[in-house]
């Protein structure tokens, strides 16, 4: 358990001391969302309909950008190899890194989302639903993305590759997330969607870290 | 039994055995496909609603079945490679990916061609179509990772890992897209139930499905054999074979 907390602490410290890796995806998220109204034209009716989809797709892309660098610096300076070699279970290290990663990407985007929902004239029910959906959906995306990041360690243009590998896996989260927001905006109950997103999250928490640690071992084995 | 299994796993033995079996498979596949096509195009009665367009089914359904099944076979090869490190399984996985991609693409294209006269549109965002499209993306991802890692010793295990993650996700993706309103008819062809089609329609379909399976195995085998020669070009038996 100590190693888990220590990894979270270490990664968070690193993020604070080198904020560019964290801030840049968030800025990207902001710009992408602001581009949609400019491309579509300023009519409130269309905004309402597309808000959920736009925010979700922007979150997806921003998550991919931040996940790309998740293991990179540790891989390049050899710290990752030491983590694999150390006596501590690798899965706890991976879990710690994932939690730290989610705190600085998924959670921040969830906290920012009501602001964007307001920009898209979403009703207050919808705003709550967007935030709840992102709260449940972003950890799933970070977990799935880490598998792609671990598999593409040390490859040239790994960023595009991660997108190709991981984006298809994000489709269930995207569908459920947007459906949940649509249900909320339409005034119907969205508990079912929330339970589904939660179930997906639990399954992914159970399985993805195992796949990620195995992938790290594979990538480091050459 | 295990001894035999391991022996078959050695590239040299596999090359010899597959070489002697391949002609029979190819001839059988050819007969099945030709018979199926002639039967389906010439003798099957036209559908009472769809008319002659129903004949597209005899290419569409087999390729869609094969598309999913080739991903499953790829995943099985991936498990074998990750657990037992049998080199042949890695080769099999690598060789199945392009064929599977082609079949998935064929299923989508024939589906579009069939959709135009029956639904009035080339494409709809329906559950089955979407999950087949996602399957295509998964295949492309496997090939992309493989080609990006070419030359690395860990390429095989990384690809196998990706295929396994994809196979775990396939049912989730399938059920999540089922949430949408579904235009595609539910599958009318399964192993366990009596088909809802009359026998003169499903029998040629069965022949076509079997023909597609045999065709898949033939192409797969050919690719595996070529890849074996490619990888083992330094070994003596390959040199003797080539000279």
């Amino acid at each position: 358990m100590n190693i888990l907390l220590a990894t979270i602490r270490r990664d968070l410290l690193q993020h604070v001391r080198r904020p560019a890796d964290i801030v840049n995806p968030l800025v990207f998220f902001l710009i992408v969302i602001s581009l949609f109204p400019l491309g579509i034209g300023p009519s409130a009716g269309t905004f309402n309909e597309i808000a959920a989809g736009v925010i979700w797709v922007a979150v997806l892309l921003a998550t991919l950008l931040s996940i790309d660098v998740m293991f990179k610096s540790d891989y390049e300076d050899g710290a990752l190899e030491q983590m694999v070699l150390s006596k501590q279970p690798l899965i706890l290290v991976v879990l710690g890194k994932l939690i730290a990663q989610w705190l600085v990407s998924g959670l921040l985007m969830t906290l920012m989302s009501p602001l964007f929902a307001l920009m898209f004239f979403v009703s207050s029910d919808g705003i709550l639903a967007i935030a709840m959906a992102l709260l449940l959906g972003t950890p799933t995306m970070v977990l799935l993305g880490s598998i792609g990041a671990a598999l593409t360690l040390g490859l040239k243009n790994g960023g595009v590759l991660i997108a190709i590998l991981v984006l298809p896996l994000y489709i269930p989260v995207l569908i459920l997330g947007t459906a949940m927001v649509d249900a909320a905006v339409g005034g119907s109950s969205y508990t079912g969607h929330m339970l589904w997103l939660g179930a997906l999250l639990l399954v992914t928490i159970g399985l993805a870290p195992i796949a990620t640690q195995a992938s790290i071992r594979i990538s480091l084995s050459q | 039994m295990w001894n035999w299994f391991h022996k078959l796993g050695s590239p040299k033995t596999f090359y010899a055995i597959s070489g002697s079996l391949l002609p029979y498979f190819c001839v059988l596949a050819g007969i099945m496909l030709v018979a199926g096509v002639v039967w389906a195009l010439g003798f099957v009665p036209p559908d009472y609603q769809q008319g002659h367009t129903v004949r597209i089914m005899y290419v569409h359904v087999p390729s869609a079945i094969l598309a999913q099944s080739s991903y499953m076979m790829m995943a099985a090869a991936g498990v074998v490679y990750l657990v037992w490190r049998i080199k042949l399984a890695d080769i099999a996985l690598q060789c199945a990916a392009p064929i599977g991609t082609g079949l998935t693409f064929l299923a989508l294209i024939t589906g579009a061609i069939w959709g135009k006269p029956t639904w009035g549109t080339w494409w709809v965002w329906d559950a089955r179509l979407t999950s087949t499209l996602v399957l295509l993306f998964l295949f492309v991802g496997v090939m992309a990772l493989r080609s990006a890692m070419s030359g690395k010793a860990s390429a095989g295990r990384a690809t196998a890992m990706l295929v396994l993650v994809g196979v775990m996700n396939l049912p989730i993706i399938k059920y999540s897209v089922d949430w949408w309103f579904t235009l595609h008819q539910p599958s009318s062809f399964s192993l366990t139930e009596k088909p809802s089609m009359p026998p003169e329609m499903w029998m040629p379909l069965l022949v076509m499905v079997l023909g597609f399976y045999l065709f898949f195995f033939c192409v797969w085998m050919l690719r595996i054999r070529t890849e074996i020669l490619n990888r083992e070009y330094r070994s003596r038996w390959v040199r003797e074979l080539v000279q």
Side-chain angles (χ1 to χ4, degrees), chain B residues 4-232:
Chain B
W4 177 82
F5 192 67
H6 278 286
K7 214 171 168 195
L8 188 67
S10 96
K12 189 183 171 188
T13 322
F14 180 84
Y15 193 86
I17 294 179
S18 65
S20 58
L21 286 179
L22 195 58
Y24 302 105
F25 269 86
C26 286
V27 169
L28 205 58
I31 292 173
M32 290 283 239
L33 283 180
V34 169
V37 165
V38 170
W39 193 355
L41 295 188
F43 298 99
V44 170
D47 187 75
Y48 77 104
Q49 269 182 330
Q50 302 185 8
H52 286 294
T53 50
V54 77
R55 298 183 204 285
I56 300 171
M57 174 180 77
Y58 296 100
V59 182
H60 175 66
V61 172
S63 50
I65 290 178
L66 251 290
Q68 291 178 12
S69 164
S70 55
Y71 199 89
M72 292 303 157
M73 288 189 246
M74 218 165 72
V79 172
V80 171
Y81 184 61
L82 281 181
V83 176
W84 290 291
R85 304 278 165 89
I86 296 177
K87 230 193 289 172
L88 192 64
D90 173 37
I91 299 177
L93 190 157
Q94 185 191 349
C95 294
I99 319 174
T101 315
L103 285 165
T104 316
F105 191 65
L106 186 66
L108 284 172
I109 292 289
T110 51
I113 296 172
W114 197 9
K116 186 66 183 163
T118 48
W119 298 336
T121 169
W122 297 105
W123 181 261
V124 284
W125 287 101
D126 148 88
R128 286 187 148 217
L129 278 78
T130 314
S131 51
T132 311
L133 187 65
V134 177
L135 186 67
L136 184 71
F137 294 156
L138 290 177
F139 270 121
V140 171
V142 171
M143 293 207 301
L145 183 65
R146 185 85 212 189
S147 71
M149 296 188 87
S150 65
K152 292 201 176 190
S154 61
R157 277 190 292 153
T159 326
M161 195 71 213
L162 181 68
V163 174
L164 285 193
V165 173
V167 120
M168 303 281 275
N169 264 276
L170 266 183
I172 300 178
I173 293 172
K174 198 171 153 30
Y175 283 110
S176 69
V177 287
D178 274 347
W179 277 62
W180 292 343
F181 170 69
T182 289
L183 185 66
H184 199 290
Q185 59 174 337
S187 175
S188 46
F189 203 64
S190 88
L191 282 178
T192 48
E193 286 163 41
K194 204 168 171 292
S196 55
M197 277 185 277
E200 60 264 34
M201 282 182 88
W202 67 255
M203 270 165 46
L205 185 57
L206 188 64
V207 173
M208 283 301 276
V209 171
L210 290 177
F212 262 69
Y213 263 103
L214 284 168
F215 172 75
F216 175 82
F217 278 118
C218 290
V219 180
W220 199 12
M221 209 84 94
L222 279 171
R223 290 191 81 103
I224 292 175
R225 284 164 61 81
T226 317
E227 184 64 25
I228 286 178
L229 292 187
N230 238 336
R231 290 198 190 182
E232 305 276 317

